[in-house]
Amino acid sequence: MRARPAGKGRDVKTPVIKAENVDLVFQTGDGPVQALSDVSLDVGRGEFVSFIGPSGCGKTTFLRCVAALEHPTGGSLSVNGMSPDNARKERSYGYVFQAAGLYPWRTIARNIRLPLEIMGYPKADQAARVQKVLELVDLAGFGNKYPWQLSGGMQQRASIARALAFDADILLMDEPFGALDEIVRDHLNEQLLALWARTGKTCLFVTHSIPEAVYLSTKIVVMSPRPGRIADVIDSPLPKERPLDIRDTPEFLEIAHRVREGLRAGHAYD
Amino acid sequence: MRSVLPILTVVLAILALWYGAAVALNARWTLDQAARAGQELTVSQIVSDTLQQERPKLPAPHQVGAELWKTTGAMALEGRAFSKRSLIYHGWVTLSATLLGFAIGAGAGILLAVGIVHNRAMDRSVMPWAIASQTIPILAIAPMIIVVLNSIGITGLVPKAIISAYLSFFPVAVGMVKGLRSPDAMDLDLMKTWGARAGQVFWKLRWPSSMPYLFTSLKVAMAASLVGAIVGELPTGAIRGLGARLLAGSYYGQTVQIWSALFGAAILAALLVGLVGLVQRITLKRMGMAR
Ligand SMILES: Nc1ncnc2c1ncn2[C@@H]1O[C@H](COP(=O)(O)OP(=O)(O)OP(=O)(O)O)[C@@H](O)[C@H]1O
Ligand SMILES: [Mg+2]
């Protein structure tokens, strides 16, 4: 196995993700599309950052840039102090998509094992890691089930487990709970917070839901479209310990209000 | 079991139609014979005669059935299953060419698909040729293949298998291109985030994703292989194989023999396609893809 990324021991102040004036222009059939414009953002170690904004404002694109699935056409972006491409080679992040994307021909355990097989972890280590992350997402005992035997929420948890299996210290999540109903979603949000507290990962989380963003985050990035840019960055004063009913407190509602204002301001452009 | 009744109904309807057609088509000969002999025939005499002529225009189902039994089961019981007059022997000759051709064709089809999916130049250039190859009538190309190969000393099984392969690679190539491309962008992106190499993407994602497509196209390819083997037996001078039986039957006006060979081929095709279906069921079940 390769050495752990150098970032792990560094102090909390050094940003894990540092974006400076990032621009991204897609060349499409009907001309260029400015997906990201002048995006600057620092994400510290262990932060939980939510991205919220209307459709097409570049949330997915930004996450994909961090994952080196897209490459900025301008500005600079570093992940764990490296280029995104190198950060990927160092297995710095796990990516969770909106759809669980589990292979129907593999059991849950073997799905979670897949990235480990690809990265060449030793066999014995693989089994132990799978077991550990299954417990982490509360799916112990479901390892031998096939994806279609699980509910949508359980499948999404399995896909989070898969992203956690190889010890990446950044977790990128693009609307992971977008397709689930509100009650399941509340439950998963609680679990996600507990998981974040336990593992200390740096999380980047895309959502369309204001309560979800406020409930989960230490930092909320409000974005606006055409061109995609950051309208507001809100640092949450909420404590780390967050029971679900924190959502009825005045502090919570105040942040939610500020997010809503930020979204409205973004819309005023069109 | 609910499907038995409709199937039975259809089979009975076909049999009824067939008997009707046999009577209608064979009656002329019966009447001509009677007229020549100066006889008057009743309707029931006509009907019974039309169903037991030696060289009917259209043999009746029971005649075909009897001929099939006579040349297969009955001979097998006498221990002559592989005598030259047995349909089992001819069926085996055709079957071996079919299976060899199927193996070559399916292998070539899969390799072509892998190339097309992974190589830009092949993607652009191969498919038009593959399609063109299938627009040439096989009846025109089969004799050429046989003659050319004979001239360099290759005879018997291989030329027929090549014609089978010529017909069967195409459905496999088309099906597998679709199958290997079936993983969506997200699946591929996920692989990319793990830093997977092309080989890993192939074996862990593309290949398993393509299994349902593979088996569907293998069924078509199997049937095409059988057709290819039979066609390949026609220009060789009708010595061995189901195709030879068809040709010999038509030389000598042995309609019963033609039809029994036809049915032999149909039964063989059904068995082979059924076998692929069985392997499909087992494989997909093992993979956990069949619910
Ligand atoms: N591969 C691509 N090629 C061309 N244009 C693209 C591509 N990907 C995204 N875009 C464009 O970039 C802009 C930002 O898209 P992006 O997917 O990042 O938005 P989003 O904020 O994630 O939206 P949503 O909330 O709907 O998921 C959109 O205008 C989109 O049409
Ligand atoms: Mg998106």
Side-chain angles (χ1 to χ4, degrees), chain B residues 6-8 28 30 32 38 61 90 95 112 130 133 135-136 140 145 174 179 202 205 211-212 253 261-262 271 280 290:
Chain B
I7 291 177
L8 221 58
R28 147 100 351 120
T30 302
D32 284 352
H90 292 286
L95 175 67
L112 269 183
S133 77
T135 60
I136 303 168
I145 294 177
V174 172
F202 181 81
L205 177 60
M211 281 303 110
L262 266 181
L271 287 178
Q280 171 179 31

Side-chain angles (χ1 to χ4, degrees), chain A residues 64 67-69 88 93 95 97-101 103-106 111 114-115 117-119 146 148 162 166, chain B residues 185-187 189-197 200-201 204-206 208-209 285-291:
Chain A
R64 289 174 64 84
L69 292 171
R88 169 158 87 208
Y93 68 86
Y95 204 117
F97 290 86
Q98 177 166 7
Y103 293 177
W105 58 87
R106 282 179 171 247
N111 263 291
L114 181 64
E117 289 172 9
I118 286 173
M119 294 172 181
Y146 281 96
W148 52 269
R162 183 179 55 188
F166 47 94
Chain B
M186 191 197 74
D187 289 326
D189 277 344
L190 211 48
M191 277 284 179
K192 222 187 212 174
T193 67
W194 300 328
R197 293 187 303 272
Q200 290 174 318
V201 175
K204 292 187 191 291
L205 177 60
R206 289 191 191 273
S209 305
K285 189 154 192 164
R286 274 253 185 103
M287 288 173 73
M289 281 165 95
R291 304 192 176 179

Side-chain angles (χ1 to χ4, degrees), chain A residues 4-48:
Chain A
R4 298 283 331 139
K8 193 105 190 186
R10 269 191 259 158
D11 68 311
V12 191
K13 293 274 150 50
T14 323
V16 174
I17 289 161
K18 189 169 183 61
E20 278 177 300
N21 316 106
V22 166
D23 280 311
L24 196 148
V25 181
F26 285 112
Q27 298 300 338
T28 69
D30 8 289
V33 174
Q34 178 113 30
L36 293 175
S37 162
D38 200 22
V39 171
S40 297
L41 181 73
D42 282 0
V43 177
R45 186 159 306 284
E47 275 201 272
F48 198 119

Side-chain angles (χ1 to χ4, degrees), chain B residues 206-217:
Chain B
R206 289 191 191 273
W207 179 253
S209 305
S210 70
M211 281 303 110
Y213 297 84
L214 174 66
F215 283 107
T216 307
S217 57

